[in-house]
Amino acid sequence: MSAAAALPGEPKVDLAAARAHGLTGAEFAAIERILGRVPTFTELGVFSVMWSEHCSYKSSRKHLKTLPREGANVVVGPGENAGAIDVGDGWVAVFKIESHNHPSYVEPYQGAATGVGGILRDIFTMGARPIASMDSLKFGAIDHPRTRYLVNGVVGGIGGYGNCVGVPTVAGEVMFDPGYNGNILVNAFSLGLARREDLQSARARGVGNPVLYVGSATGRDGIHGASLLASAEFDAESEAKRPTVQVGDPFTEKLLIEACLEAIKTGAIAAIQDMGAAGLTSSSSEMAGRGGLGVELDLDRVPLREPNLSPYEILLSESQERMLIVAEHGREAELAAVFEKWDLHAVVIGAITGDGRWRARFRGGVVADIPVAALSDAAPLYDRPAAPPGRAPIETRPAAAVARPEPAAAMRALIASPNVASRRMVFRQYDSLVLSNTVAGPGGDAAVLRIKGSRRGLALKVDSNPRACALDPYLGAIATVCEAARNVACVGARPAAITNCLNYGNPERPEIMWQFVRGVAGLGDSARAFNTPVISGNVSFYNETEGRAIPPTPTIAVVGTFADVSLNIKHCFSLPGDLVVLVRTAPPSLAASEYADLFRVAGGALAPIDLVRERRLLDGLVECAQRRLLRSAHDVSEGGMAVALAEACFDSDRGLGAEIEPVATDGDAEAWFGEGASSVIVSAPAENLKAIRDIFAPLEVRPVGRVAAAARLKLGRWFDEDVATLRRLYEEALPGRLGRHD
């Protein structure tokens, strides 16, 4: 039996206390068996965060292991702070996406800001300098009374933190849907670059090596953010959870980035990890667990923001801008000097041990003594029941149907609809150019980054498709991966790897677990088909309020590589007289489309997806870019081909239009506004058509019109509109609905 003892005046630990901490009766009994006694109050808090859904992945680990994780270019896969791929010339790209959903709903500015801060720390902890961020945002209906407040807070938090810390936000997505009225999603992505030899690990090594606490001091903010906020559904008392949201300081984060990257160059770091969810508890136990070692902490040495914090509060605090470092023995002073130079705390608070125990001391006594494995590898693992709902999935649209609109009116309505209209009012609040790596920023199919000092580059895109996933979780997940990869290929980059954020409801409900299992299967099958391993990610469960779950929302970020970034392709038309060509793998469909949702019409079921043909489309786009055959390429997504053609005309520098021949019965909704198939619109000189057809064979390659010098968009005989008028509708729609940001 271990020797930890309770402190005078601490709350009594019993089954009721355990349940109040989010633990089940069976889990509390398991803790007593592991310890051979009733845990101390501090130990109860430690188990509650480490065995929470957010930290332990107890409902998802079994299924995540089925995803492809290895590939020729994978340098670091799942299990570290972030994944890494080889991008050539000795460079590695380090990236990951994570959720900060619950904190952002409770306190939108700080929730979103600290989501950005946390994912940045995952990147520079690996030894990489962050060079780009993206975000995927899901809000409730645009006319919901809380939506404007949440949008302003979340967008302000992302911009405020990212702009201050000096990392550009280069791409993202925003969606409005009633399914998120009670639970918004804020998924934050970051990517960094490192030399391969500078990559760091979070695997502790070296018995006797000192453990350093660096960064900001510890306060009471964020306590139980992981266990009682991120690992439970919302209820009528959700507003009372505001104190569990962390508070960020981007200026300190900037200092921490520079200090950590400088410290890494010394070679004195044996292991390093961000103090994220569960703070000092998770960072110390996870590093020790990965290394098969133990750790002992002296909590009296932890820098505090306020006096009289208890061991429970010190260990569970999620105060931001903090890191934990295992130093090479005898070199702790060398590291401390680096952090002191940057005006940051750097204090030895413990040491690595060889006994496999996680031990915390406070005021001369041991307040926690737990086997490390019990907090990491031996955390609960559930194979939860999964069963489809008892009835067919319902489309995420209002129940009452209305007559289909006249096609030209439908086109104008779609251009100005919340999920199609320009996101400029959002991304203009972000600095997308700082660090001068950005070749193409927000507004295109994918962001494009240069790697300075070489010809190489990167493309990145984040996508989700909750409407499709609500209809069919498996096919919807495949469609999401296809779209993200297609966007990357449209700019000419070869899709290389995936990171994912899997957002679902309560996994204790069989129908939700079924959605998750089928979604993971779809992600795995498409990742294997495209040779894009899943190298990092995050699962976010319990996204529901009072039993109403969000639509299943697997968010997929794809990173692609350029051997020569100068070969990147824009999405807008560039030269009058060029052919406009439709390339697609299958006919379009209104299933899960913006048209079906906006006009309340039945879109039908999702069609099967042929991943061999999808791979052919991706490979063809990359080959066309490498052979300089295309002048533009644009993915057909929300709003279908008609909207994609309009967007391809929205280049303020050229002011071009397009004349498109009838592609079906004039004004046919499915042909013009359907989204189901993987389709792209490309423009190219007429003399390149044969080569393009040869490259994409056996896919459909169909000339549908020409780029026009006059800035008008003509679609068959049913639509003829000035491009400037359309663009005005496109640009002014969101500011008009949500309020301008001038």
Side-chain angles (χ1 to χ4, degrees):
M1 184 181 299
S2 55
L7 294 174
E10 281 189 327
K12 179 183 178 182
V13 175
D14 55 16
L15 180 57
R19 285 178 170 156
H21 279 71
L23 295 163
T24 67
E27 289 170 345
F28 183 61
I31 292 168
E32 291 183 306
R33 287 195 302 273
I34 289 168
L35 297 178
R37 56 175 170 79
V38 176
T40 66
F41 185 67
T42 300
E43 290 170 331
L44 179 67
V46 167
F47 273 106
S48 75
V49 292
M50 294 307 297
W51 285 15
S52 68
E53 190 70 59
H54 189 75
C55 291
S56 73
Y57 286 39
K58 57 191 175 185
S59 300
S60 61
R61 292 203 315 269
K62 173 181 183 292
H63 305 286
L64 297 178
K65 290 179 180 178
T66 67
L67 295 174
R69 303 177 174 199
E70 298 178 351
N73 63 346
V74 176
V75 179
V76 178
E80 288 281 354
N81 287 289
I85 60 170
D86 189 327
V87 295
D89 298 335
W91 289 105
V92 293
V94 179
F95 55 93
K96 187 180 182 183
I97 189 169
E98 281 195 341
S99 62
H100 229 224
N101 303 334
H102 289 64
S104 299
Y105 184 75
V106 171
E107 177 27 69
Y109 186 95
Q110 289 296 346
T114 52
V116 173
I119 196 66
L120 289 174
R121 288 193 297 279
D122 281 338
I123 301 308
F124 68 80
T125 294
M126 296 286 295
R129 178 173 293 278
I131 64 166
S133 293
M134 298 191 292
D135 50 74
S136 173
L137 311 178
K138 298 289 184 291
F139 298 103
I142 198 164
D143 54 358
H144 187 275
R146 193 173 166 85
T147 294
R148 180 181 293 190
Y149 161 73
L150 290 169
V151 171
N152 289 341
V154 166
V155 172
I158 291 170
Y161 203 100
N163 294 352
C164 288
V165 82
V167 176
T169 301
V170 297
E173 60 165 1
V174 183
M175 182 179 183
F176 301 90
D177 189 275
Y180 303 99
N181 281 349
N183 196 127
I184 67 172
L185 301 184
V186 175
N187 295 173
F189 167 101
S190 184
L191 176 144
L193 281 177
R195 301 301 295 175
R196 186 162 183 161
E197 63 270 18
D198 290 336
L199 278 177
Q200 299 295 297
S201 173
R203 183 183 302 272
R205 57 182 172 83
V207 173
N209 276 345
V211 175
L212 275 71
Y213 171 116
V214 303
S216 291
T218 293
R220 289 188 169 92
D221 52 317
I223 293 174
H224 277 302
S227 60
L228 297 186
L229 182 58
S231 299
E233 63 186 62
F234 284 135
D235 53 32
E237 306 301 320
S238 291
E239 287 296 318
K241 297 177 180 178
R242 195 176 294 267
T244 65
V245 177
Q246 311 97 317
V247 177
D249 179 354
F251 298 104
T252 298
E253 180 101 338
K254 175 59 175 172
L255 297 177
L256 192 59
I257 292 173
E258 301 304 329
C260 285
L261 294 178
E262 183 176 335
I264 286 166
K265 292 292 186 182
T266 68
I269 293 178
I272 180 170
Q273 180 158 331
D274 166 39
M275 287 193 223
L280 181 55
T281 293
S282 63
S283 55
S284 58
S285 62
E286 289 172 359
M287 281 204 296
R290 290 189 189 102
L293 297 168
V295 63
E296 185 165 304
L297 305 174
D298 184 348
L299 303 184
D300 294 310
R301 297 184 181 181
V302 174
L304 302 181
R305 192 177 299 159
E306 49 192 303
N308 303 319
L309 265 67
S310 69
Y312 178 101
E313 293 170 321
I314 294 170
L315 288 166
L316 271 62
S317 169
E318 294 181 11
S319 293
Q320 296 290 285
E321 293 84 40
R322 304 179 303 158
M323 310 284 277
L324 202 65
I325 291 175
V326 178
E328 298 289 358
H329 185 69
R331 302 189 68 180
E332 54 267 38
E334 184 180 349
L335 289 174
V338 172
F339 287 93
E340 287 164 9
K341 167 189 166 183
W342 293 95
D343 292 327
L344 296 170
H345 294 286
V347 182
V348 175
I349 65 164
I352 297 300
T353 66
D355 61 2
R357 308 289 298 185
W358 185 89
R359 192 175 294 110
R361 295 184 178 274
F362 184 73
R363 295 179 182 172
V366 176
V367 294
D369 190 348
I370 303 168
V372 166
L375 301 178
S376 52
D377 297 341
L381 177 61
Y382 296 128
D383 186 4
R384 296 197 185 276
R391 50 186 170 74
I394 297 176
E395 294 185 65
T396 54
R397 60 182 174 83
V402 297
R404 292 195 182 192
E406 185 271 329
M411 174 66 170
R412 295 183 181 93
L414 280 165
I415 284 284
S417 67
N419 292 323
V420 172
S422 170
R423 270 75 180 117
R424 189 177 303 275
M425 71 159 285
V426 172
F427 66 70
R428 73 189 296 262
Q429 299 179 59
Y430 306 149
D431 189 334
S432 62
L433 299 175
V434 64
L435 300 178
S436 68
N437 297 302
T438 307
V439 176
D445 282 58
V448 177
L449 306 174
R450 65 173 59 86
I451 298 177
K452 293 176 182 173
S454 78
R455 299 184 67 83
R456 298 184 182 275
L458 299 168
L460 38 151
K461 185 61 167 67
V462 60
D463 270 306
S464 60
N465 195 334
R467 290 182 186 145
C469 292
L471 286 178
D472 186 315
Y474 174 78
L475 288 175
I478 290 179
T480 304
V481 176
C482 288
E483 182 171 359
R486 191 165 64 249
N487 275 280
V488 165
C490 274
V491 300
R494 185 172 300 282
I498 288 172
T499 181
N500 65 86
C501 192
L502 307 179
N503 306 275
Y504 291 83
N506 185 343
E508 299 165 47
R509 295 166 53 193
E511 66 273 22
I512 299 296
M513 200 63 207
W514 174 78
Q515 291 177 340
F516 176 79
V517 171
R518 296 298 294 153
V520 171
L523 168 56
D525 286 348
S526 47
R528 279 183 284 271
F530 299 159
N531 193 26
T532 49
V534 181
I535 66 167
S536 60
N538 173 237
V539 176
S540 177
F541 278 133
Y542 296 99
N543 289 291
E544 55 184 80
T545 298
E546 297 180 346
R548 294 188 300 275
I550 62 164
T553 312
T555 301
I556 306 299
V558 171
V559 173
T561 58
F562 292 95
D564 185 347
V565 73
S566 70
L567 298 179
N568 76 92
I569 299 174
K570 305 298 188 292
H571 75 283
C572 289
F573 298 141
S574 63
L575 196 65
D578 278 349
L579 283 180
V580 177
V581 181
L582 171 66
V583 184
R584 65 187 180 190
T585 64
S589 165
L590 291 179
S593 67
E594 183 67 16
Y595 181 96
D597 186 81
L598 187 64
F599 302 118
R600 309 182 204 177
V601 301
L606 298 180
I609 298 174
D610 185 333
L611 287 170
V612 173
R613 292 173 67 83
E614 298 299 322
R615 175 67 183 266
R616 187 77 210 98
L617 179 62
L618 302 179
D619 290 344
L621 286 165
V622 174
E623 184 176 348
C624 283
Q626 292 173 342
R627 292 175 57 180
R628 301 179 186 269
L629 295 173
L630 306 179
R631 288 205 230 270
S632 72
H634 187 31
D635 171 42
V636 174
S637 56
E638 291 86 356
M641 185 173 72
V643 168
L645 288 163
E647 291 171 337
C649 296
F650 292 163
D651 187 325
S652 57
D653 294 333
R654 293 183 174 85
L656 300 176
E659 296 182 359
I660 307 301
E661 64 192 39
V663 297
T665 303
D666 248 11
D668 176 77
E670 201 157 52
W672 291 103
F673 306 123
E675 302 172 15
S678 290
S679 304
V680 294
I681 295 291
V682 304
S683 66
E687 60 266 26
N688 293 352
L689 181 60
K690 182 182 184 304
I692 293 169
R693 279 186 162 137
D694 290 344
I695 287 171
F696 283 109
L699 305 184
E700 178 183 359
V701 179
R702 177 180 177 183
V704 293
R706 288 189 180 267
V707 178
R712 296 193 70 82
L713 178 63
K714 299 179 181 180
L715 304 177
R717 292 176 293 274
W718 64 271
F719 192 80
D720 185 350
E721 183 65 88
D722 179 64
V723 168
T725 301
L726 284 176
R727 185 164 188 175
R728 190 162 52 249
L729 286 172
Y730 182 74
E731 295 288 352
E732 294 181 356
L734 278 192
R737 300 287 293 272
L738 293 172
R740 293 185 178 273
H741 291 266
D742 295 319

